[in-house]
Each structure stands twice: as structure tokens, then as C-alpha cells.
Amino acid sequence: MIATTGKVNLLGLTQPQLESFFESIGEKRFRAGQVMKWIHHFGVDDFDAMSNIGKALREKLKASSEIRGPEVVSEDISSDGTRKWVVRVASGSCVETVYIPQNGRGTLCVSSQAGCALDCSFCSTGKQGFNSDLTAAEIIGQVWIANKSFGSVPAKIDRAITNVVMMGMGEPLLNFDNVVAAMNLMMDDLGYGISKRKVTLSTSGVAPMIDRLGEVIDVSLALSLHAPNDELRNQLVPINKKYALAVVLGACRNYISRLGEKRVLTIEYTLLKGVNDQPEHAEQMIALLADIPCKINLIPFNPFPHSGYERPSNNAIRRFQDILHKAGHNVTVRTTRGEDIDAACGQLVGQVMDRTRRSERYIAVRELRADPAASAAGNRS
Ligand code: SAH
Ligand code: SF4
């Protein structure tokens, strides 16, 4: 467990929250903008480095607050440029953050929870169960850490991180307030200045929270569909038993239509051999998505030990893609990245504390990967 200091962590505060903080300590609100630039643009965590803030105020800040990101446990760089950080959060668990450079873009895949309660049958994060929600500081802290590791400066040009996807560990809509605060910081010019189109929240389909999201923010939305009918989706994505396809897709349609400006829903579909990869599934998907502006991202299953699933053959993947394509859909297949550093979707496990023996030890999730056949198959989609 990381010791807490009782100080306010300024890293996770949005501009209005930081303004209120300064007011609460008897200072001017404009200080918030100055401090945000130091934190997010320059990656500073030492008040003494803030040269436009007088010594007296710096001392006052040191007494009441801190700038504390999650602890970096490891940083791996793949031969293809993909990077992966394992960071430890206050609950003691570790989560993973992945950076994927591709076609002039740099996409950072950020975690929202340590573990996940939703237990999708093909997801290794789900297999760990839920451990803790990340704080807003721990979520934006992943962007802060990645940005610092690229030596980023405040210039808007040549930025390493152009896109952020909430597609790491956890279900972001079940950690709503912290995720929304962190996404606001990603988009704020005093934060990371990333356009709303390039910040994407991915959900397994927590329908009422999709409605709530639409009331407070206008980021891009991705739905983890994975099955074109309720019967199959109930098995693969258990939250579907609570919010069936018609309800979830209705919520997504409303969310997207509110955004206007030709924005579309991203549909993520993990292809599982012999389970959801047949032509009939593609046909059902076409009917299901007929009136939803969307683009489809097929994710060939990334194997992990004892999952019970296999990745379809390249032919089966192509056949599935072709059927959707011929029906007029924009369909991409996520390519393999970060193979040598275990950075694939659904393989992000970090280390989650065993809830039954919380204080004694961590489950060494990496040990699960000791199965050589599985690690040879490990890859990024
Ligand atoms: N909880 C959110 C965010 C995680 S996003 C959600 O489910 O949408 C990670 C994406 O990778 C999701 O679409 C998820 O279903 C998918 N995924 C999980 N395990 C996978 C695996 N083993 N292989 C390929 N994709 C996987
Ligand atoms: Fe949770 Fe998403 Fe994994 Fe499902 S796919 S268990 S919602 S992280």
C-alpha cells in the first residue's frame, strides 16, 4: 500500500477544481492556470521549479498539496516502438498503460480500474476480478508519465501523444467521475490539448452511464460489441444480461446523434475462433448496425493461458471483414503491436492484489504467462 500524505494531489484536479483550491487557501484563481501548465505541459512535480510563482506561495503549496503520479514499476519499449508502463496505484495494485505509434499518430491506451468486475469471458483483466477504482490523478497520471518519458515540451507540434483511448484495464463508465475529470484534463489546453474526437472512451455497454456521459462530455465513444445477438452476448459479455443489445445500442445512438458533426460510434469486435467469427454473425451484425453511424474495428483474439479461446485463421478474419465491407461498412482489423512486451488488448493484467490475501502478497499475474505456448502467441491487436 502506498502511504498517503493527507495533502491535496493537484495532478488530478480540473481547472475549475484547481481554481476552487486556490480560493480555499486564500489565493487568486488565475494561479490554477499557471500551475496546470507546470504540471501538464512541463511534467513538473516540484513546486520549487515553478519560476513564476513566488517563494511564499510555493512554501504554502508545499505545506498543503503535492503533485503525485502513480509509481512507475517498469517501462518497456518494443522493437516496433510500442511502449508499455506498469504503474502502481494507491490500492497497491498495478495497472498498465500502452503507447502505440502508427501512421503518424501516437495513441495512448489508458487504464481506469485495477482489475474489472464485469468478467467478460475472453478478457484477462476480467479474469482477475475487481480490485480498485483509479483516482483522477492516477488516470491522468498515466498520460503525465507517458508525456514525460517522451521529453514533451508545451509546443503543440510534434506531439508524441495525439490520441488517448480509455481501452486499458477496467470499465471506465464504472469509475465515472474520475474518468470524466481525467478526460477533461486530456482535452483542456492547460492540460494536454487533445481534441475531443481523439479522446475515446470504450465501454462494454453500461447503458445508463452512456446516457449520463452524453450529458457531461463529448468525447468519442466505442462499444465493445463482440456478439451480434443477445444469446451469444450474454455469454461473452455478462453485463448484457442487465442491459440488452437493443438498450445499449439505443444509448449509443443517442450519444452519437447528440455529438452531431458526422461523428460515428466505434464498434469493437473481438474475433473468437468458432464462437463469433462465422458469416452468419457478420450478417446479423449488418442488420443490427443498419441505422447506426459507425466504423468497425475487428480485434483478433489475443490468447492468454487457460482462456479456452483461440484466434481465428487469417482467412476467417478476412472473410468476416469482407462481408461487412461489402455491406458498406468501414472495417479495420487491429494489427499486432508490441508483441515482445505483452502489450496486447485483453492481455493487460499488471498485478492485482489477491483479495483473499490482500496484505500478504500479490498474485503474480505474470506467472500466469509462464506457459510458453501462450507467451509465444502473445501479441497486440
Ligand atoms: N472495459 C472496456 C475498456 C477495455 S477496452 C471495454 O470492455 O470496452 C479493451 C478492448 O479489448 C475491449 O473491446 C475488450 O473487449 C477487448 N479485449 C479484451 N480481451 C481481449 C482479448 N483477449 N483479445 C482481444 N481483445 C480483447
Ligand atoms: Fe472489463 Fe472490458 Fe475486460 Fe469486459 S473487456 S472484463 S468490461 S476490461
Side-chain angles (χ1 to χ4, degrees):
M1 198 84 170
I2 295 172
T4 47
T5 57
K7 293 180 176 179
V8 181
N9 189 355
L10 306 188
L11 178 62
L13 300 189
T14 59
Q15 186 179 0
Q17 289 170 333
L18 197 53
E19 285 171 350
S20 304
F21 166 78
F22 275 104
E23 237 170 23
S24 76
I25 60 167
E27 298 289 336
K28 295 273 191 300
R29 292 169 73 87
F30 78 90
R31 294 292 187 189
Q34 291 180 319
V35 168
M36 281 180 77
K37 284 186 192 167
W38 284 114
I39 297 176
H40 301 291
H41 294 185
F42 293 98
V44 160
D45 59 3
D46 174 5
F47 291 111
D48 283 331
M50 301 182 179
S51 54
N52 55 355
I53 300 204
K55 189 160 189 327
L57 177 52
R58 293 202 309 261
E59 293 305 322
K60 197 169 172 183
L61 287 172
K62 276 190 237 173
S64 60
S65 59
E66 62 182 353
I67 300 156
R68 182 197 283 262
E71 176 198 345
V72 180
V73 175
S74 65
E75 176 174 355
D76 292 312
I77 304 182
S78 161
S79 51
D80 68 11
T82 302
R83 293 186 186 206
K84 186 178 80 174
W85 296 263
V86 175
V87 301
R88 184 172 290 119
V89 296
S91 65
S93 294
C94 291
V95 299
E96 301 188 356
T97 312
V98 178
Y99 173 79
I100 309 133
Q102 199 166 30
N103 306 331
R105 286 196 309 253
T107 302
L108 193 70
C109 179
V110 168
S111 293
S112 56
Q113 297 180 313
C116 181
L118 297 187
D119 200 21
C120 299
S121 63
F122 51 87
C123 173
S124 60
T125 303
K127 294 291 147 221
Q128 300 168 54
F130 174 73
N131 183 264
S132 65
D133 279 333
L134 270 53
T135 62
E138 288 166 344
I139 300 167
I140 199 66
Q142 297 169 62
V143 185
W144 185 70
I145 286 165
N147 209 39
K148 284 205 294 183
S149 97
F150 289 110
S152 289
V153 289
K156 289 207 152 196
I157 42 166
D158 290 339
R159 260 200 312 222
I161 301 169
T162 59
N163 298 57
V164 178
V165 291
M166 297 302 306
M167 293 185 186
M169 296 166 69
E171 168 48 57
L173 290 183
L174 294 183
N175 184 13
F176 191 87
D177 292 344
N178 292 332
V179 165
V180 166
M183 292 193 305
N184 276 321
L185 281 167
M186 292 167 199
M187 295 188 290
D188 193 330
D189 280 340
L190 293 168
Y192 298 87
I194 301 171
S195 114
K196 59 190 179 185
R197 294 168 179 273
K198 295 181 176 176
V199 173
T200 303
L201 181 142
S202 171
T203 179
S204 55
V206 192
M209 304 310 279
I210 297 174
D211 295 337
R212 245 185 93 191
L213 191 71
E215 288 161 15
V216 296
I217 210 162
D218 53 3
V219 296
S220 295
L221 183 66
L223 174 69
S224 292
L225 185 67
H226 309 313
N229 61 66
D230 282 316
E231 195 189 347
L232 183 57
R233 198 165 191 267
N234 286 345
Q235 292 167 32
L236 303 180
V237 184
I239 185 93
N240 195 71
K241 293 180 205 154
K242 202 160 176 193
Y243 308 112
L245 273 173
V247 176
V248 173
L249 287 170
C252 289
R253 196 186 295 108
N254 286 344
Y255 183 92
I256 292 299
S257 64
R258 258 196 235 148
L259 298 180
E261 313 165 57
K262 297 197 182 137
R263 306 271 296 272
V264 299
L265 177 68
T266 299
I267 296 285
E268 296 166 276
Y269 194 97
T270 296
L271 285 165
L272 306 162
K273 184 177 179 179
V275 175
N276 66 356
D277 64 342
Q278 299 301 302
E280 77 217 45
H281 297 119
E283 299 294 351
Q284 287 175 25
M285 215 166 142
I286 291 165
L288 191 69
L289 300 175
D291 62 345
I292 300 183
C294 62
K295 60 181 179 196
I296 299 171
N297 195 204
L298 300 176
I299 316 173
F301 174 64
N302 289 305
F304 58 92
H306 317 298
S307 71
Y309 292 110
E310 287 174 63
R311 170 190 288 244
S313 67
N314 286 343
N315 274 346
I317 296 169
R318 206 168 309 121
R319 181 181 60 182
F320 200 91
Q321 182 180 22
D322 281 350
I323 298 171
L324 296 170
H325 193 74
K326 287 201 179 101
H329 279 292
N330 173 356
V331 194
T332 49
V333 178
R334 224 175 266 180
T335 50
T336 300
R337 301 300 303 271
E339 188 157 18
D340 44 346
I341 56 169
D342 278 355
C345 290
Q347 291 185 321
L348 304 185
V349 285
Q351 286 176 319
V352 166
M353 292 179 86
D354 182 344
R355 276 171 293 177
T356 57
R357 294 200 226 158
R358 191 177 280 259
S359 56
E360 292 146 57
R361 66 174 182 94
Y362 296 111
I363 300 178
V365 179
R366 269 183 208 289
E367 282 170 18
L368 293 175
R369 292 187 180 151
D371 176 344
S375 23
N379 44 32
R380 159 156 278 280
S381 62

